Amino acid sequence: MSFIENLKSKIAISSYKPKIVFAEGWDKNIHEAAQQLKETKEIVPFLIFRTRSEVYEDIIDNYIVIDEMDLDKYANVLFELRKAKGLTIDQAKSLVKQPNYLASLMVKMGEADGEICGIQYTTKDTLKPALQILKTAPGAKLVSSAFVMQKDKEQYIFGDCAININPNSEQLADIALGIGKFAKDVVGLTNLKIALLSYSTAGSGAGESVDKVRGAHDILMTLPEAKQFQISPEIQFDASFVPEVMHKKAKNLNWDTNAKIYVFPNIDAGNIGYKIAQRMGGYEAIGPVLIGLAAPVNDLSRGASTSDVVNLAYITGYQALTQRNK
């Protein structure tokens, strides 16, 4: 059973069906995905449109049109949340007319269990209102992202490929923990080996980037919550992926299989890495899934297909169920 099929089966047996709001309801792929989700009856899709002219003739049951709504209740909530930061009520009334802000407010106010955005908005414009309105989860120090890379029976987790540009050692340690927990709790991986990627393996290289990765490893070794994972010191991709290479380059790393979770040292490496795996390696890249927010908000690539939207909806829905059941 694939990762997504496993999530679908878990949602299917739940008595509660998560309601997911799509900020960009006018997009063709969002519309097609919503139709598919409606048919399965496992996720309740809710679409936001800016104007009546954007609404499809065969629209699903749940949708709103912004320019036909009284948005005062949303503006008042946003104003209360942000007035200490200098937001005025007039600015709040303007912001809630933007679908990315309205979607996050619907989640905040309990009108939706999770949000999907980003097929037309940038990652920045997806994340900014989510952070301002929903904020980070208790205990989370930052928001990061993960991709589930899947091909046939192979499955790997890559991160952070979308959010943190050049994390320091402390941030890199937090990213590794967040991605590891996502791999365990949502993806259901049992092989919890985490590779801290670098251009150096076990001291073969030197430089600021290598020192940063080594620092992240040192921090992780002091954290009780990291003990549920097997975490490499700084390691090159080939040494973390091919056991024969690993045993030559990282002789102190006694793993009998390769890593399943890959933490990149910066966004350049992560973004390039997942796209090479996707386009040249033939892996399906599901995500980016945002980790560390107080409620599920996930970001689509602007090149996302209908299938990508459906897959991310099931991830978002399952995240919402797990939070609801805590």
Side-chain angles (χ1 to χ4, degrees):
M1 182 183 293
S2 73
F3 157 55
I4 295 297
E5 289 299 320
N6 186 42
L7 292 187
K8 287 174 67 176
S9 67
K10 290 178 179 179
I11 296 171
I13 63 175
S14 171
S15 59
Y16 183 82
K17 304 307 177 190
K19 182 177 181 179
I20 305 302
V21 57
F22 293 84
E24 301 141 315
W26 60 90
D27 183 89
K28 180 176 179 290
N29 287 327
I30 297 293
H31 174 71
E32 291 176 354
Q35 295 288 4
Q36 291 182 27
L37 292 167
K38 179 186 175 183
E39 291 174 7
T40 67
K41 298 180 180 180
E42 292 153 353
I43 298 286
V44 180
F46 193 101
L47 305 188
I48 295 178
F49 296 91
R50 294 166 295 193
T51 65
R52 175 59 58 176
S53 63
E54 294 177 339
V55 179
Y56 290 83
E57 290 184 4
D58 57 340
I59 186 63
I60 62 170
D61 300 332
N62 302 307
Y63 72 95
I64 56 175
V65 179
I66 287 177
D67 70 359
E68 297 177 358
M69 292 180 64
D70 180 353
L71 299 172
D72 282 352
K73 70 173 183 177
Y74 300 102
N76 289 333
V77 170
L78 181 58
F79 171 67
E80 290 299 323
L81 287 170
R82 301 293 297 170
K83 64 182 180 181
K85 299 291 185 180
L87 187 75
T88 67
I89 187 63
D90 287 339
Q91 289 171 328
K93 288 180 178 180
S94 178
L95 285 173
V96 298
K97 295 177 182 178
Q98 300 178 24
N100 54 337
Y101 273 86
L102 183 58
S104 289
L105 283 162
M106 289 179 66
V107 176
K108 178 71 174 180
M109 296 167 68
E111 297 177 0
D113 301 295
E115 172 196 344
I116 291 178
C117 187
I119 203 165
Q120 293 190 17
Y121 280 105
T122 65
T123 295
K124 177 183 177 181
D125 288 334
T126 297
L127 186 58
K128 182 178 179 180
L131 280 170
Q132 290 180 347
I133 295 165
L134 299 168
K135 308 187 185 303
T136 55
K141 297 178 182 178
L142 51 70
V143 175
S144 61
S145 71
F147 276 93
V148 180
M149 308 300 296
Q150 188 167 284
K151 182 169 70 172
D152 301 325
K153 294 183 179 180
E154 294 182 78
Q155 194 173 86
Y156 302 97
I157 313 298
F158 284 11
D160 177 0
C161 305
I163 304 296
N164 296 283
I165 294 174
N166 188 25
N168 60 31
S169 293
E170 291 78 11
Q171 292 168 332
L172 201 59
D174 289 337
I175 289 167
L177 272 183
I179 292 172
K181 291 174 183 177
F182 166 75
K184 177 176 177 284
D185 297 338
V186 178
V187 182
L189 286 187
T190 55
N191 180 347
L192 296 174
K193 296 183 177 71
I194 301 177
L196 300 179
L197 295 177
S198 174
Y199 58 78
S200 169
T201 296
S204 67
E208 183 178 343
S209 177
V210 177
D211 291 342
K212 176 179 74 173
V213 178
R214 288 177 186 160
H217 180 262
D218 291 344
I219 292 168
L220 288 164
M221 292 302 98
T222 69
L223 301 178
E225 58 266 42
K227 296 186 184 302
Q228 60 189 306
F229 308 110
Q230 297 181 60
I231 305 172
S232 78
E234 98 276 2
I235 192 167
Q236 292 163 293
F237 180 79
D238 59 346
S240 64
F241 192 74
V242 183
E244 293 81 4
V245 178
M246 180 192 306
H247 298 150
K248 290 179 181 179
K249 290 187 173 184
K251 295 180 180 179
N252 293 328
L253 195 62
N254 298 315
W255 292 356
D256 55 355
T257 61
N258 61 0
K260 290 291 184 180
I261 304 163
Y262 294 88
V263 178
F264 292 84
N266 56 47
I267 199 172
D268 283 333
N271 188 273
I272 292 167
Y274 100 80
K275 287 181 177 175
I276 288 174
Q278 180 186 34
R279 302 299 181 180
M280 292 179 67
Y283 281 83
E284 182 181 10
I286 303 172
V289 179
L290 302 186
I291 297 167
L293 285 167
V297 175
N298 284 318
D299 178 33
L300 285 163
S301 165
R302 278 171 284 173
S305 66
T306 299
S307 175
D308 294 332
V309 179
V310 172
N311 288 342
L312 196 58
Y314 282 114
I315 294 173
T316 309
Y318 186 69
Q319 287 178 303
L321 282 184
T322 57
Q323 288 199 2
R324 184 181 176 86
N325 293 331
K326 283 183 178 179

